[in-house]
């Protein structure tokens, strides 16, 4: 804050302004306000010219002339645009605010008239004539003085919240001219009417003009009070408010104070509420908030919050649109067009749509597509929306850790908004949309609450017909929304939330399925994405199969699409350089474009010695093969386990060693060797944590292979949990594991016999190309997988 003694000087580079003549006055133009003699008024300085004028006046301790411009919209007025009469004012204080704006506090002294404007200064300077206050000693002036003071006191008493200090100030004025100026200062009249009062020098005429305007104002205040007393006694609350507002609007129009913009806004909102077809509870809430908005001044801080709330209410699709009957044949065609394979998944979706067609008002189950990335979970939801002819909207839940992201923030918070569910419905514009809840397994709890718990009400068909968002504060019916969730793994989904969904598992694709997907969908999509026209580039079938087998190793097709795009970008570059097509890409061209293959069939190489077995593992991104390696060194019978194994996997290794020790004689193993040998079991890819019981059979076979010096057949992989009695127990993820084995070139798998129930889940193509061995006991694995004994030296020197 800067006072009058510390204002800044003119810039050093500017030429010094000439001194002011004795009869000259610095002029400060103002917009929409009039300063009267004897009153104090704050003035905000926005124009550089006005700032320089005020600084010069403060520096030289001179008064300024406050003159109102004729048109308040002019940004840079000329002398002709200013009134000829103003008020000489002393600068009480000059303030520079923290935001850089400049303010004056001025006290009016005397009227003056501009004679002519002078040039040579960077601000307005004028020769002026000061107008002395006329004498007021007549009886007529005294009578008008008493009458005007009585009118002013009456008007103050009629005001609902008039300050007592204003009443005391009016009562203490003893000069007729000062009273007229003071009343004009605080009276609710237009700036032009105040300018007319300022230009009325004669005291009698001035008091007459002020008295006439004040009488009109008193009449309006009396009418408002009379209306209030009459209507309170005869009308109910709603009709009374309507009548009051109509009459108040008429009064405001009579005074020229009607805000046509706000009235039009209120009328528009009222019409929108009527057309929104809200339920009665919501309609009542909307009209209540509309009445609050109507009473509220636009400058109020809460005005924008109420207006935003009403916008949300009228924009939401409360009414249920007409639903066209579901065409099952068209739905089946759409699913076949968009996805290759996935026959069981498509059949379940068709069953779901058939039930929705026959019983549209029934509580449909919440579907959850679970599977590795890139297998088409999200695109299945889009296909369902197309088949049902409904709007599709996606809500990403990955990383959401705030309950308010689901239920919304309460309106008491600044910047509050509804939750993602209501926002998505507003975006879709339909209450019966298909909503994809993506990555529901990645919801996380935080200090702001548990969003997974908030999802319970959303996904419960018994409760979501009255879902209450914290921001809206009124129920919204979600029962007609088709919710479809996606997840990579189910273990992280809380039990109550998982119980509300029907899980449909999507496994990875086989090599032939990937080829068909690439040929039908991925290649055309990447041609378009890289600006290539059909016929300009041709990828041979052998090249596609080579990319699938040697350049990708995944359950889905996302990385396959990237590799195809990589190949097509090379062709796009050649065409952009001027080469004319068509460009043919064969399998032999891949090494020059993509480099050497990062993947190769290493099963035979790694299992060609005793002590190595191939296991099968399940991961959140699909199945995979796992090599179990065992070796023996001289020692004292210790078991060494490495490869970042979890506790369950370590226990499987200990159980496998115990079974081998207990059956050493039947396998031709010298039992005394265990006392002089340390057994080391290692699972490669040591940087990756591994756990689970399903590697028990593979660990057992690696130990038997090591100690009997017989290799495990290289085309065989196995999975299963073992017990100390030698039983092979069932495990999960059979479909994913078998597909991973097929993808790695393995043609023979050994599975627990109690997993025969999962055989039908394995794709038909894989079942036809692979041999399955069903294990009841570990002895079945030994007899099926070990090659015949060979002559070799003992592994441990005596």
């Amino acid at each position: 804050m800067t006072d009058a003694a510390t204002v800044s000087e003119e810039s050093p580079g500017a030429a010094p302004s000439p001194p002011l003549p004795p009869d000259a006055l610095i002029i400060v133009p103002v917009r929409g306000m009039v300063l009267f003699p004897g009153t104090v008024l704050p003035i905000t300085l926005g124009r550089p010219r006005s700032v320089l004028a005020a600084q010069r006046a403060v520096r030289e301790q001179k008064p300024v002339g406050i003159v109102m411009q004729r048109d308040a919209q002019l940004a840079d007025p000329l002398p002709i645009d200013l009134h000829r009469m103003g008020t000489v004012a002393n600068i009480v204080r000059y303030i520079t605010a923290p935001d850089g704006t400049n303010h004056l506090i001025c006290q009016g002294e005397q009227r003056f008239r501009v004679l002519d404007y002078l040039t040579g200064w960077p601000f307005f300077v004028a020769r002026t004539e000061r107008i002395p206050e006329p004498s007021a000693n007549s009886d007529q002036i005294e009578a008008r003085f008493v009458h005007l003071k009585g009118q002013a006191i009456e008007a103050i008493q009629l005001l609902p919240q008039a300050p007592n200090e204003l009443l005391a100030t009016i009562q203490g004025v003893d000069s007729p001219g000062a009273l007229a100026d003071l009343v004009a200062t605080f009276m609710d009249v237009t700036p032009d009417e105040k300018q007319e009062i300022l230009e009325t020098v004669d005291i009698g005429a001035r008091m007459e003009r002020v008295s006439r305007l004040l009488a009109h104002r008193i009449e309006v205040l009396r009418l408002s009070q009379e209306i209030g007393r009459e209507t309170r006694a005869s009308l109910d609350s709603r009709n009374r408010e309507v009548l009051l507002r109509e009459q108040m609007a008429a009064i405001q129009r009579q005074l020229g104070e009607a805000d046509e913009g706000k009235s039009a806004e209120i009328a528009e909102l009222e019409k929108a509420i009527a057309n929104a077809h809200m339920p009665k509870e919501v309609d009542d809430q909307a009209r209540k908030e509309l009445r609050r908005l109507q009473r509220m001044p636009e400058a109020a801080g809460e005005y924008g919050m109420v207006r935003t709330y009403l916008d949300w209410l009228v924009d939401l699709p409360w009414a249920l649109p007409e639903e066209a009957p579901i065409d099952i044949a068209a739905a089946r065609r759409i699913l076949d067009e968009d996805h290759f394979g996935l026959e069981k998944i498509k059949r379940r979706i068709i069953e779901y749509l058939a039930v929705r067609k026959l019983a549209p008002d029934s509580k449909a189950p919440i579907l959850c597509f679970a599977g590795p990335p890139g297998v088409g979970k999200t695109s299945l939801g889009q296909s369902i929306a197309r088949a049902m002819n409904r709007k599709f909207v996606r809500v990403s839940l990955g990383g959401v850790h705030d309950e308010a992201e689901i239920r919304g923030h309460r309106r008491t918070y600044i910047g509050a908004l509804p939750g993602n569910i209501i926002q998505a419905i507003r975006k879709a514009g339909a209450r019966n949309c298909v909503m994809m809840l993506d990555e529901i397994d990645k919801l996380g709890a935080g200090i702001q609450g548990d969003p997974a718990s908030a999802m319970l009400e959303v996904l419960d068909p018994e409760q979501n017909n009255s879902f209450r968002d914290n921001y809206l504060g009124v129920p919204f019916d979600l029962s007609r929304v088709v919710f479809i969730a996606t997840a990579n793994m189910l273990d992280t989904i809380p039990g109550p939330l998982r119980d509300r969904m029907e899980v449909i598992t999507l496994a990875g694709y086989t090599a032939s399925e990937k080829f068909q997907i690439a040929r039908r969908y991925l290649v055309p999509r990447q041609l378009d994405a890289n600006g290539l026209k059909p016929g300009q580039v041709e990828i041979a079938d052998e090249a596609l199969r080579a990319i699938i087998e040697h350049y990708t190793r995944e359950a889905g097709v996302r990385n396959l699409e990237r590799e195809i795009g990589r190949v097509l970008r090379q062709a796009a570059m050649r065409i952009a350089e001027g080469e004319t097509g068509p460009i043919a890409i064969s399998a032999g061209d891949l090494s020059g474009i993509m480099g050497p293959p990062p993947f190769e069939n290493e099963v035979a190489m790694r299992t060609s010695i005793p002590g190595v077995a191939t296991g099968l593992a399940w991961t959140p991104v699909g199945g995979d093969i796992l090599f179990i390696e065992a070796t023996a060194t001289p020692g004292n019978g210790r078991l060494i386990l490495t490869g970042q194994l979890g506790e369950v996997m370590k226990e499987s290794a200990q159980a496998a060693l115990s079974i081998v020790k207990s059956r050493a004689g039947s396998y031709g193993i010298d039992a005394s060797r265990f006392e002089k040998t340390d057994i080391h079991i290692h699972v490669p890819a040591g940087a990756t944590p591994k756990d689970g019981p399903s590697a028990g059979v593979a660990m057992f076979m690696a130990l038997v292979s090591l100690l009997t010096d017989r290799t495990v057949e290289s085309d065989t992989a196995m999975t299963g949990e073992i017990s100390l009695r030698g039983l092979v127990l069932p495990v999960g993820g059979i479909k994913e594991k078998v597909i991973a084995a097929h993808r790695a070139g393995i043609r023979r798998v050994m599975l627990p016999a109690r997993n025969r129930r999962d055989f039908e889940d394995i794709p038909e193509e894989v079942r036809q190309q692979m041999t399955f061995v069903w294990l009841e006991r570990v002895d079945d694995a030994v007899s099926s997988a070990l090659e015949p004994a060979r002559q070799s030296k003992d592994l441990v020197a005596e």
Side-chain angles (χ1 to χ4, degrees):
M1 186 174 293
T2 307
D3 58 23
T6 60
V7 295
S8 60
E9 299 289 340
E10 296 178 9
S11 59
S17 301
L20 296 172
D23 60 343
L25 186 66
I26 297 174
I27 303 299
V28 177
V30 295
R31 316 181 201 210
M33 58 187 300
V34 176
L35 174 65
F36 286 93
T39 60
V40 178
L41 194 66
I43 299 173
T44 300
L45 304 176
R47 292 180 278 238
R49 176 183 295 177
S50 299
V51 174
L52 290 174
Q55 291 178 350
R56 179 68 174 266
V58 170
R59 193 163 59 249
E60 297 184 3
Q61 297 185 1
K62 289 186 176 183
V64 295
I66 305 299
V67 179
M68 186 177 76
Q69 61 189 59
R70 300 180 189 276
D71 185 359
Q73 303 300 323
L74 289 177
D76 191 12
L78 300 174
I80 196 174
D81 300 318
L82 306 180
H83 286 281
R84 305 297 292 181
M85 185 173 288
T87 303
V88 179
N90 287 325
I91 298 178
V92 178
R93 192 167 181 81
Y94 182 98
I95 301 171
T96 300
D99 59 357
T101 58
N102 298 271
H103 307 270
L104 286 182
I105 300 178
C106 298
Q107 182 175 18
E109 279 191 355
Q110 188 180 11
R111 287 172 170 81
F112 74 92
R113 183 180 291 107
V114 176
L115 299 179
D116 57 0
Y117 282 91
L118 306 177
T119 59
W121 288 269
F123 42 80
F124 289 119
V125 176
R127 290 177 56 251
T128 61
E129 176 192 3
R130 299 201 180 196
I131 302 173
E133 188 74 3
S135 61
N137 297 325
S138 65
D139 294 339
Q140 185 179 8
I141 297 296
E142 185 66 26
R144 286 181 175 175
F145 172 72
V146 174
H147 176 67
L148 181 59
K149 181 176 287 190
Q151 283 183 306
I153 293 173
E154 182 182 3
I156 293 173
Q157 292 173 343
L158 289 173
L159 291 173
Q161 294 180 344
N164 295 328
E165 293 80 2
L166 181 57
L167 181 62
T169 302
I170 294 293
Q171 291 175 337
V173 176
D174 55 4
S175 169
L179 177 64
D181 291 343
L182 181 62
V183 173
T185 298
F186 294 103
M187 193 163 48
D188 190 9
V189 294
T190 64
D192 290 334
E193 289 174 323
K194 290 186 177 183
Q195 181 67 29
E196 291 179 6
I197 296 172
L198 180 68
E199 295 179 358
T200 305
V201 179
D202 182 73
I203 293 180
R206 191 192 314 165
M207 295 179 69
E208 176 66 24
R209 187 184 296 273
V210 174
S211 179
R212 187 169 62 252
L213 292 173
L214 189 56
H216 181 68
R217 184 63 179 167
I218 291 173
E219 182 181 353
V220 172
L221 292 173
R222 286 175 178 170
L223 179 60
S224 298
Q225 287 193 352
E226 185 66 25
I227 291 173
R229 286 193 295 270
E230 291 178 359
T231 54
R232 277 194 299 269
S234 59
L235 301 174
D236 59 46
S237 60
R238 184 164 184 175
N239 292 334
R240 181 172 68 246
E241 185 172 351
V242 172
L243 179 59
L244 279 171
R245 296 200 174 282
E246 290 178 354
Q247 293 177 335
M248 185 61 70
I251 294 170
Q252 289 177 336
R253 285 193 296 270
Q254 184 179 2
L255 293 175
E257 299 175 354
D259 189 347
E260 298 297 336
K262 182 176 179 181
S263 300
E265 180 182 9
I266 297 297
E268 182 182 351
L269 282 172
E270 191 167 9
K271 181 179 178 181
I273 292 172
N275 295 334
H277 304 293
M278 304 176 182
K280 184 179 185 309
E281 180 181 353
V282 184
D283 187 79
D284 292 344
Q285 176 70 13
R287 296 187 183 278
K288 177 182 175 182
E289 294 295 330
L290 182 62
R291 291 193 294 270
R292 284 187 60 207
L293 187 72
Q294 197 170 3
R295 293 193 299 267
M296 197 179 299
E298 291 189 39
E302 199 177 353
Y303 185 90
M305 298 171 60
V306 177
R307 175 58 202 264
T308 303
Y309 176 73
L310 287 173
D311 286 341
W312 271 100
L313 286 182
V314 300
D315 286 348
L316 285 174
W318 299 96
L320 188 66
E322 294 186 4
E323 299 182 8
I326 300 174
D327 188 340
I328 300 300
R332 184 178 284 109
R333 185 183 68 254
I334 289 172
L335 289 173
D336 290 338
E337 289 175 354
D338 294 347
H339 299 86
F340 179 82
L342 304 177
E343 298 303 328
K344 292 184 179 180
I345 309 299
K346 292 178 183 177
R347 184 169 64 249
R348 179 62 188 92
I349 293 174
I350 294 298
E351 293 171 357
Y352 174 84
L353 296 177
V355 172
R356 292 303 294 257
K357 178 179 180 178
L358 298 178
D361 295 328
S362 65
K363 296 180 174 62
I366 311 298
L367 301 181
C368 177
F369 296 133
V375 295
K377 300 185 294 296
T378 304
S379 60
L380 276 173
Q382 295 173 338
S383 299
I384 292 175
R386 283 184 57 203
M388 300 181 73
N389 196 23
R390 295 190 183 185
K391 297 290 185 64
F392 176 82
V393 65
R394 174 178 169 273
V395 177
S396 178
L397 300 179
V400 172
H401 59 274
D402 187 353
E403 181 184 350
E405 295 289 333
I406 307 299
R407 289 188 177 275
H409 301 82
R410 300 193 182 277
R411 282 195 290 147
T412 52
Y413 298 103
I414 296 177
L417 284 174
N420 289 337
I421 304 299
I422 296 297
Q423 290 189 39
I425 289 177
R426 182 191 184 185
K427 179 181 178 182
R431 190 160 64 84
N432 61 344
C433 62
V434 176
M435 185 177 295
M436 174 69 75
L437 303 175
D438 220 0
E439 310 292 355
I440 198 171
D441 57 325
K442 296 175 180 60
L443 286 171
I447 60 174
Q448 295 89 357
D450 185 5
S453 299
M455 290 297 298
L456 295 177
E457 182 183 2
V458 175
L459 299 182
D460 191 343
E462 300 294 336
Q463 302 179 38
N464 62 11
N465 59 350
S466 59
F467 174 72
R468 191 175 291 267
D469 187 273
N470 289 332
Y471 180 82
L472 298 181
V474 292
F476 190 89
D477 188 0
L478 299 178
S479 61
R480 303 300 299 170
V481 178
V482 178
F483 289 105
I484 299 173
T486 70
N488 293 129
M489 55 191 305
L490 301 175
D491 296 344
T492 58
I493 303 177
L497 183 59
R498 181 176 174 180
D499 182 63
R500 283 163 167 77
M501 301 183 294
E502 177 182 341
V503 178
I504 299 177
T505 303
L506 285 79
Y509 294 110
T510 63
S512 61
E513 288 176 334
K514 287 183 179 182
F515 172 77
Q516 294 295 335
I517 293 171
R519 178 57 69 195
R520 297 185 186 191
Y521 308 109
L522 304 185
V523 171
R525 191 157 64 199
Q526 284 300 313
L527 283 171
D528 182 67
N530 290 284
L532 297 171
K533 298 178 181 179
Q536 285 185 309
V537 180
E538 291 291 338
I539 301 181
D541 292 348
E542 294 76 12
L544 283 179
R545 290 191 175 93
I547 294 175
I548 294 169
E549 294 175 5
H550 303 301
Y551 289 90
T552 61
R553 187 67 57 85
E554 58 178 343
V557 293
R558 194 166 288 159
N559 194 47
L560 173 60
E561 183 174 5
R562 280 194 286 266
E563 296 298 331
I564 292 174
R566 183 178 170 188
V567 172
L568 292 179
R569 283 195 299 272
Q570 182 77 11
M573 181 185 67
R574 292 166 58 185
I575 292 177
E577 290 175 345
E579 184 174 343
T580 58
I583 297 176
I585 299 175
S586 64
D589 300 327
L590 295 181
S591 59
I593 298 174
M594 307 172 67
F599 303 107
E600 58 182 353
N601 189 348
E602 58 180 353
V603 176
M605 176 186 67
R606 297 185 67 163
T607 58
S608 59
I609 60 174
V612 181
T614 305
L616 298 175
W618 179 92
T619 69
V621 295
D624 202 356
I625 61 172
L626 200 66
F627 295 102
I628 310 295
E629 299 178 350
T631 188
T633 57
N636 52 9
R638 290 186 306 155
L639 175 62
I640 305 170
L641 303 174
T642 56
Q644 276 211 67
L645 308 185
E647 292 298 324
V648 176
M649 204 165 184
K650 291 178 180 179
E651 293 171 358
S652 296
Q654 293 169 352
L657 181 59
S658 296
I659 298 174
V660 173
K661 288 181 178 179
S662 64
R663 304 186 179 202
S666 61
Y667 298 146
I669 302 172
D670 185 2
S672 62
R673 184 183 305 174
F674 293 106
E675 300 177 358
K676 300 179 275 186
T677 305
D678 287 344
I679 304 295
H680 185 174
I681 297 178
H682 176 68
V683 183
T688 304
K690 311 166 191 70
D691 202 2
S694 61
V697 171
M699 288 183 169
F700 171 80
M701 291 301 297
L703 291 173
V704 173
S705 170
L706 171 70
L707 297 173
T708 60
D709 196 24
R710 297 168 62 186
T711 59
V712 178
E713 295 185 4
S714 61
D715 65 342
T716 302
M718 60 206 74
T719 185
E721 183 180 359
I722 57 175
S723 71
L724 290 177
R725 295 179 296 162
L727 298 177
V728 179
L729 306 179
V731 293
I734 293 297
K735 180 180 179 181
E736 290 83 358
K737 293 175 180 178
V738 172
I739 291 177
H742 179 267
R743 187 166 58 237
I746 293 173
R747 293 296 175 261
R748 187 165 175 261
V749 291
M750 298 194 299
L751 305 176
R754 292 168 63 181
N755 276 116
R756 285 181 183 271
R757 61 179 182 268
D758 300 313
F759 184 70
E760 294 298 325
D761 294 336
I762 302 172
E764 179 67 25
E765 174 193 355
V766 176
R767 284 185 287 171
Q768 292 178 357
Q769 296 181 8
M770 301 186 72
T771 303
F772 295 88
V773 178
W774 303 100
L775 306 178
E776 290 282 357
R777 307 179 64 84
V778 292
D779 299 329
D780 300 334
V782 173
S783 60
S784 300
L786 286 183
E787 293 181 349
R790 62 181 183 177
Q791 297 295 327
S792 64
K793 298 180 180 180
D794 289 337
L795 292 174
V796 181
E798 295 294 338

